[in-house]
């Protein structure tokens, strides 16, 4: 697991109390699964901006609905210059 994915996952598990398992996977839409709601989404955005130093434009916020751990990780990799560790 790459460092970015690990940081995001740790934040989600510790702060939002998300339990990733066989039912809630890294690809699960966390909104549809009822795991997170709008205030949690704002916490994720704040974490990405403050802790991971991801700069977001208004377009990023409207065009990228970050609903899964995989999707959030991919977005961060793209914003950090397209570098995606193996």
């Amino acid at each position: 697991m790459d460092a970015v994915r690990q940081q995001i996952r740790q934040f989600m598990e510790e702060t939002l109390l998300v339990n990733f398992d066989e039912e809630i996977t890294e690809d699960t839409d966390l909104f549809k699964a009822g795991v997170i709601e709008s205030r949690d989404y704002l916490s994720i955005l704040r974490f990405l901006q403050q802790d991971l130093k991801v700069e977001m434009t208004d377009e990023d916020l409207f065009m990228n609905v970050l609903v899964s751990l995989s999707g959030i990780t991919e977005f961060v990799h793209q914003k950090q210059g397209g570098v995606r560790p193996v």
Side-chain angles (χ1 to χ4, degrees), residues 46-84:
R46 194 174 316 114
F47 169 76
L48 296 178
Q49 292 173 320
Q50 293 176 355
D51 293 46
L52 298 184
K53 308 298 184 217
V54 174
E55 293 185 27
M56 295 184 203
T57 64
D58 289 342
E59 184 177 336
D60 289 331
L61 296 176
F62 291 114
M63 298 303 291
N64 297 289
V65 179
L66 308 171
V67 297
S68 69
L69 176 57
S70 296
I72 295 167
T73 302
E74 184 65 32
F75 173 77
V76 171
H77 285 305
Q78 289 172 0
K79 294 302 287 183
Q80 292 178 335
V83 178
R84 193 166 178 234

Side-chain angles (χ1 to χ4, degrees), residues 1-18 20 26 30 43-45 47-49 51-52 54 56 66-77 80:
M1 181 179 303
D2 71 71
V4 169
R5 181 179 303 271
Q6 182 59 39
Q7 286 180 284
I8 297 168
R9 182 176 177 141
Q10 182 176 350
F11 168 79
M12 294 175 90
E13 290 175 338
E14 292 176 1
T15 305
L16 306 178
L17 304 177
V18 174
F20 291 98
E26 293 185 359
L30 299 172
S43 295
I44 293 168
L45 294 178
F47 169 76
L48 296 178
Q49 292 173 320
D51 293 46
L52 298 184
V54 174
M56 295 184 203
L66 308 171
V67 297
S68 69
L69 176 57
S70 296
I72 295 167
T73 302
E74 184 65 32
F75 173 77
V76 171
H77 285 305
Q80 292 178 335

Side-chain angles (χ1 to χ4, degrees), residues 16-32:
L16 306 178
L17 304 177
V18 174
N19 292 315
F20 291 98
D21 55 23
E22 294 171 6
E23 191 174 317
I24 304 296
T25 69
E26 293 185 359
D27 296 317
T28 298
D29 182 321
L30 299 172
F31 278 106
K32 287 183 181 176

